[in-house]
Amino acid sequence: MNSRDLGPRVIVALDYATGAEALAFAQRLDPKRCRVKVGKELFTVTGPALVEQLVGRGFDVFLDLKYHDIPNTVAAACKAAAGLGVWMINVHASGGRTMMQAAREALAGQTRPPKLIAVTVLTSLGAEDLHETGQTEEPAVLVERLARLAASSGLDGVVCSAQEAQRLRQACGPDFCLVTPGIRPSDSAQDDQKRVVTPQMAITGGADYLVVGRPITKAADPLSVLDRINADIALAAGR
Ligand code: C5P
């Protein structure tokens, strides 16, 4: 359980195909009660302008572009992302220590640097897929190895499944930021997520921030669903 004051712990995934839809939906949210995530599809369609508009409306933005390239390129991309005023960015831990350290150093001169987190193993990859790429470790072992590598490379945390949170909290310490997607309130549809976890379970397991998409974006009354999730989080966090 996390006793630090983390501010709003729900990150609403703005998985929309156009900027107009994303902005119209953001209009129905409250930046004091959640943060938002912009991913590859939306960013590719809208570019930085949408991110700047969301930041301008007071939202903390997680720019989920999962950089993975040579250190110089990733460092420059991270610096450019920081220039947009976003709250969180991410890179692939499998890009290696030098790449992650370059990303960290690129943010050093920023007045309000974004949180820099890593993707360990994409949850879409099973043991078979990993073996085909030459990875012989079991997924959970590889996840922990990459999370430890991210931590020792100076990153602020990782994206992980809530089922891994407890193990990574123990491995990487109390201040390491754990961001968990695959969250479903108990009365929500599972959609295409296979192993879902409720907000309470994720918080109890040690997650800091919960990425929630469709249970909020498809709701008739998004703010009331958000409020209920926030209440569940507060209960699980003992506040
Ligand atoms: O709608 P839903 O709550 O399933 O959305 C989850 C969000 O988290 C999506 O933006 C998805 O791409 C992202 N995500 C995920 N699983 C991961 C990593 C990211 O669902 N392992």
Side-chain angles (χ1 to χ4, degrees):
M1 205 179 298
N2 201 318
S3 56
R4 289 171 291 152
D5 182 13
L6 301 168
R9 293 173 73 167
V10 173
I11 304 172
V12 180
L14 296 180
D15 291 325
Y16 290 101
T18 67
E21 286 170 284
L23 282 176
F25 184 75
Q27 189 75 42
R28 303 174 67 191
L29 295 176
D30 176 355
K32 293 195 190 66
R33 294 192 251 178
C34 66
R35 306 169 197 262
V36 294
K37 177 171 93 70
V38 173
K40 284 192 169 111
E41 179 189 12
L42 188 57
F43 188 78
T44 302
V45 171
T46 64
L50 174 91
V51 173
E52 286 170 331
Q53 278 174 290
L54 290 166
V55 172
R57 290 184 186 190
F59 284 101
D60 278 348
V61 177
F62 172 15
L63 188 59
D64 179 19
L65 297 182
K66 301 184 181 70
Y67 298 128
H68 188 178
D69 211 312
I70 59 170
N72 187 55
T73 300
V74 167
C78 287
K79 198 169 174 187
L84 299 176
V86 298
W87 164 73
M88 177 178 276
I89 60 176
N90 57 1
V91 301
H92 273 280
S94 55
R97 183 183 297 284
T98 310
M99 188 203 80
M100 287 192 277
Q101 286 176 338
R104 175 83 282 161
E105 281 159 25
L107 301 178
Q110 303 286 327
T111 38
R112 284 184 61 219
K115 284 186 191 300
L116 176 62
I117 62 165
V119 175
T120 55
V121 177
L122 292 170
T123 47
S124 52
L125 296 175
E128 279 298 303
D129 303 296
L130 290 169
H131 288 164
E132 267 193 327
T133 67
Q135 296 288 354
T136 49
E137 285 174 322
E138 283 309 304
V141 176
L142 184 57
V143 165
E144 183 174 329
R145 170 194 294 282
L146 289 168
R148 286 179 184 274
L149 180 64
S152 69
S153 303
L155 267 68
D156 298 309
V158 290
V159 183
C160 65
S161 118
Q163 275 141 347
E164 297 157 355
Q166 207 157 7
R167 177 178 183 151
L168 298 186
R169 176 64 64 219
Q170 270 168 12
C172 300
D175 297 327
F176 200 59
C177 180
L178 300 178
V179 179
T180 62
I183 303 295
R184 290 291 179 273
S186 45
D187 57 357
S188 272
Q190 200 162 322
D191 303 308
D192 55 357
Q193 295 282 10
K194 293 205 178 98
R195 287 173 296 139
V196 298
V197 166
T198 65
Q200 299 97 309
M201 285 161 70
I203 295 295
T204 310
D208 293 308
Y209 299 104
L210 315 187
V211 176
V212 188
R214 287 159 291 180
I216 293 174
T217 57
K218 302 282 184 213
D221 185 354
L223 266 187
S224 77
V225 176
L226 178 60
D227 282 346
R228 202 153 42 80
I229 295 175
N230 278 333
D232 288 348
I233 290 172
L235 204 62
R239 272 183 274 123

